[in-house]
Amino acid sequence: MEILMSVIAGIIFMAATYLLLSKSLLRVIIGTALLSHGVHLLLLTMGGLKKGAPPVLSEHAKAFVDPLPQALILTAIVISFGVTSFILVMAFRAYQELHTDDMDQMRGNDQHE
Amino acid sequence: MNNFVILPILIPLLAAVALIFMNKRIMLTRVFSAAASVLAIVISGILVQTVFTKGVQTLNLGGWKAPYGIVLAADQFASLLVLTTAVIGLLIVLYSYRSIGEKRERSFYYSGVQFLLAGVSGAFLTGDLFNMYVFFELLLIASYMLIVLGGTKIQLRESLKYIVFNIVSSALFVIGVGFLYAVTGTLNMADLSVKISESGQTGLITVIGVLFLIVFGLKGGIFPFYFWLPGSYYAPPTAIAALFGALLTKVGLYAITRVFTLIFIHDTQFTHQLMMWLAALTILFGVIGSIAYSDVMKIVIYNIITAVGVILFGIAVNTPASIQGAIYYLIHDMLIKGALFMLAGTLITLTGTASLHKMSGLIKRYPVLGWMFLISAVSLAGIPPFSGFVGKFKIVEGGFAQGEFVISILVLLSSLLVLYSVLKIFMYAFWGEEKETPNQEKRTAKGLLYPAAVFLLLSLLFGLGTEYVSPYVNQAAETLLNPEKYIEAVLKE
């Protein structure tokens, strides 16, 4: 199971990297979203995917799944959610101000000032 | 157990929250944020003294014992940096009064600064790797907000890149944490160190170490990963650029130091050799950048990269002398970069241009600014009575003792070129005939100069009073070189 998930996470990273390297700003943002999905999936996989009850104490199960990675992922999800919404709004503002979503035209030289 | 340890994080955090509510009343926010920063300085000063007399201070948050709960650990290295951070915070706030403009001040500017300070102090004090990630995100999100605040075209353009690079590096950070958790089953740094020394540092762990070097290198602006830095730091207003230049890259360096003196310490042959060469290339590229440009801001920005390389070399050599040197140089560089950014910003405000070819003869009109710039230039280069000397001297001493002649000589040569790059600013801008600049009205620089003067004074005292500082630095270096002390303090009982 872990091997399958690792391969899937790898494919997600591949897609994210490809999108991050593209021209359109929106594709870059989709790339960052995919990247954080891959990261969260990887974090879950790295905690181990052995069978066990959900980490809620009231169930009288013998074994539970590891609760720590779940807490870490939850934290990472809200953080990446905050950052993603911020960058989306910034992309919107940049589109309004700069009238382009082409990363090639956002080069840092003074002619665009 | 000492509740004191959390205060340097808590004060800016609470101040930031309170500042959100008093947003529209500018005078109140100014006074309040300055007061909070003064309190933070006092608290971190007491923390430094406590650590000095009683050793490493720890706090188990929520009363959970070390490997299970989150632990805050203040050793002398972290405490000194927290104190420096608090001082920089106050001076940036004071500089902002005159320079940042009311429109930005009304847009939660001071709140953002305090959140950033809380994030930086948290990243210095935490003893848990994932918690460090969270504090990194706190300071990064505050920095995203500050870098784009005002929303000019250049800011929007550059901060998009800044954010994308940081999202990628944060993703890599979490991947590294995930790998490390899979291999060791713990996230507490002291516990990680114990687990890794028990199982031996396998090739896998070294790979994770290199991944962390990449992550923190992206944050800290090390050679192949510094490409985002010149553009991003060029965009925001001076006060914010000074804050970033003094603090943000240094958090990356701190994290590298912490991780490679505490966790990945058993395969130094490979990792530290790698760091050494990266440091050499960082110095080289930083120096090339700083002599290539004739733009005041760019020169100062590339000098950050050079300094990052010098400090990284000190860490990589890993002898008592070089680690002490790295700590001296780190604190010196935080202070002097604050001063340099402020002075360069003042220069740009006064002349209305950043190009060196358009300004000259300013010494007649602004003698104080000129001489202050000269002092900061020579301390940056490390001329003996000033503050940059001791750090670089010890780093080079350590380098020679380890037989790393090539890079040590490179460090020495880099000082020369650093001096050339900042003296170029001095000679072009201050000497020569007075020229008509785009900004004709005769402005006074007074309000803007006080914070920079305090920075310079502190860095002068730091250079002249090495005798008084050295016990603290020695203690910090000792704890870094003997991680057992840190581990024992965190995992006691």
Side-chain angles (χ1 to χ4, degrees):
Chain A
M1 194 62 186
E2 277 92 343
I3 291 178
L4 179 67
M5 295 306 264
S6 311
V7 171
I8 290 173
I11 292 170
I12 295 177
F13 285 141
M14 193 174 70
T17 313
Y18 178 74
L19 285 170
L20 280 170
L21 294 175
S22 56
K23 259 186 176 184
S24 159
L25 183 53
L26 211 53
R27 277 166 165 262
V28 171
I29 297 174
I30 293 173
T32 60
L34 269 182
L35 186 64
S36 55
H37 281 319
V39 167
H40 301 151
L41 197 64
L42 191 78
L43 210 51
L44 197 68
T45 312
M46 284 295 159
L49 295 172
K50 294 164 206 80
K51 288 218 170 108
V56 182
L57 267 183
S58 56
E59 290 183 36
H60 296 284
K62 277 179 197 158
F64 295 97
V65 295
D66 191 348
L68 189 69
Q70 303 192 8
L72 301 187
I73 290 167
L74 196 59
T75 316
I77 284 174
V78 292
I79 289 175
S80 67
F81 182 69
V83 174
T84 306
S85 48
F86 190 86
I87 195 177
L88 275 170
V89 174
M90 262 196 49
F92 179 59
R93 281 285 296 146
Y95 182 68
Q96 280 183 328
E97 291 280 324
L98 305 170
H99 308 295
T100 180
D101 76 328
D102 189 343
M103 290 305 272
D104 270 356
Q105 291 181 12
M106 295 194 196
R107 293 263 173 81
N109 62 42
D110 294 314
Q111 288 158 11
H112 291 276
E113 272 300 279
Chain B
M1 283 291 277
N2 188 348
N3 279 327
F4 218 79
V5 180
I6 201 173
L7 286 181
I9 308 171
L10 211 53
I11 291 167
L13 207 56
L14 290 177
V17 174
L19 281 164
I20 292 176
F21 293 105
M22 49 181 93
N23 178 42
K24 293 293 167 207
R25 306 168 75 179
I26 292 181
M27 276 320 288
L28 188 64
T29 53
R30 285 180 177 176
V31 174
F32 189 84
S33 48
S37 294
V38 170
L39 188 63
I41 292 175
V42 174
I43 294 288
S44 2
I46 298 174
L47 182 65
V48 167
Q49 199 54 41
T50 320
V51 174
F52 184 62
T53 48
K54 292 187 194 152
V56 182
Q57 298 290 305
T58 60
L59 171 63
N60 298 330
L61 294 181
W64 295 91
K65 271 187 192 156
Y68 306 112
I70 285 173
V71 59
L72 296 182
D75 64 346
Q76 191 61 266
F77 183 43
S79 317
L80 282 175
L81 291 179
V82 165
L83 179 62
T84 321
T85 305
V87 172
I88 289 168
L90 177 67
L91 293 175
I92 295 288
V93 166
L94 294 178
Y95 185 78
S96 307
Y97 289 177
R98 281 296 191 87
S99 71
I100 204 76
E102 273 198 23
K103 200 176 138 235
R104 285 197 171 93
E105 283 180 304
R106 276 184 208 282
S107 317
F108 304 99
Y109 169 74
Y110 292 112
S111 198
V113 171
Q114 295 291 344
F115 272 123
L116 190 128
L117 293 175
V120 173
S121 311
F124 287 149
L125 287 175
T126 186
D128 182 285
L129 215 49
F130 194 78
N131 197 230
M132 188 188 253
Y133 161 72
V134 174
F135 276 121
F136 264 96
E137 287 301 309
L138 174 59
L139 77 90
L140 284 175
I141 291 171
S143 76
Y144 301 158
M145 174 240 172
L146 289 173
I147 199 174
V148 79
L149 190 69
T152 58
K153 280 185 182 172
I154 183 172
Q155 275 179 302
L156 283 167
R157 209 174 55 208
E158 295 303 329
S159 43
L160 272 171
K161 296 166 199 166
Y162 177 73
I163 296 182
V164 171
F165 291 133
N166 275 306
I167 289 177
V168 173
S169 75
S170 297
L172 287 174
F173 196 166
V174 181
I175 292 172
V177 168
F179 284 159
L180 209 51
Y181 181 70
V183 176
T184 59
T186 179
L187 290 174
N188 182 292
M189 290 199 272
D191 199 31
L192 273 173
S193 175
V194 173
K195 290 254 162 66
I196 287 177
S197 57
E198 275 169 4
S199 67
Q201 189 165 342
T202 55
L204 196 56
I205 290 175
T206 306
V207 170
I208 300 170
V210 174
L211 180 61
F212 274 104
L213 186 63
I214 293 171
V215 169
F216 297 137
L218 267 161
K219 313 268 185 206
I222 287 168
F223 158 62
F225 314 116
Y226 71 86
F227 50 83
W228 57 271
L229 198 145
S232 307
Y233 282 18
Y234 195 75
T238 315
I240 298 169
L243 189 65
F244 286 10
L247 292 180
L248 292 194
T249 52
K250 277 62 182 185
V251 184
L253 276 175
Y254 166 82
I256 288 175
T257 318
R258 181 60 78 208
V259 162
F260 284 95
T261 55
L262 185 62
I263 301 175
F264 308 108
I265 45 175
H266 304 286
D267 192 10
T268 50
Q269 188 61 34
F270 178 74
T271 52
H272 286 60
Q273 200 67 36
L274 179 68
M275 278 158 72
M276 228 175 269
W277 285 107
L278 288 182
L281 288 166
T282 312
I283 295 170
L284 208 61
F285 279 75
V287 159
I288 290 172
S290 65
I291 52 176
Y293 281 95
S294 60
D295 179 308
V296 180
M297 239 3 172
K298 286 271 191 227
I299 293 173
V300 179
I301 289 169
Y302 274 97
N303 274 320
I304 298 181
I305 297 170
T306 315
V308 164
V310 172
I311 297 165
L312 186 69
F313 177 62
I315 297 161
V317 172
N318 205 20
T319 61
S322 76
I323 293 272
Q324 279 171 19
I327 298 169
Y328 276 118
Y329 204 76
L330 188 57
I331 295 170
H332 145 80
D333 194 60
M334 287 165 91
L335 294 172
I336 207 73
K337 285 288 143 55
L340 260 182
F341 266 103
M342 282 180 180
L343 293 171
T346 312
L347 207 59
I348 293 170
T349 326
L350 291 175
T351 57
T353 173
S355 168
L356 278 181
H357 301 302
K358 290 186 187 153
M359 50 175 93
S360 91
L362 289 170
I363 195 85
K364 274 182 203 148
R365 214 182 285 173
Y366 308 108
V368 183
L369 176 68
W371 294 119
M372 273 168 70
F373 200 94
L374 184 69
I375 293 173
S376 67
V378 290
S379 8
L380 186 73
I383 306 289
F386 300 107
S387 61
F389 172 69
V390 192
K392 222 172 236 177
F393 173 73
K394 290 224 165 207
I395 288 173
V396 171
E397 186 192 333
F400 277 120
Q402 283 293 92
E404 298 293 340
F405 297 108
V406 181
I407 306 179
S408 303
I409 290 168
L410 186 70
V411 169
L412 290 175
L413 282 178
S414 80
S415 313
L416 201 65
L417 294 174
V418 163
L419 183 67
Y420 166 69
S421 72
V422 273
L423 277 186
K424 193 171 71 180
I425 302 182
F426 182 73
M427 286 163 63
Y428 273 100
F430 291 99
W431 286 0
E433 292 292 307
E434 267 193 271
K435 224 192 249 181
E436 293 200 351
T437 51
N439 222 352
Q440 269 305 311
E441 56 206 287
K442 293 194 177 178
R443 294 220 209 161
T444 155
K446 270 189 186 141
L448 294 171
L449 283 182
Y450 292 129
V454 178
F455 263 136
L456 273 186
L457 192 70
L458 283 175
S459 103
L460 270 181
L461 288 178
F462 187 70
L464 296 173
T466 309
E467 232 177 297
Y468 301 98
V469 188
S470 64
Y472 296 93
V473 175
N474 290 347
Q475 191 196 18
E478 209 184 310
T479 322
L480 285 181
L481 288 160
N482 305 302
E484 307 84 46
K485 283 188 182 172
Y486 185 92
I487 294 164
E488 199 182 315
V490 173
L491 297 177
K492 59 191 163 217
E493 296 154 51

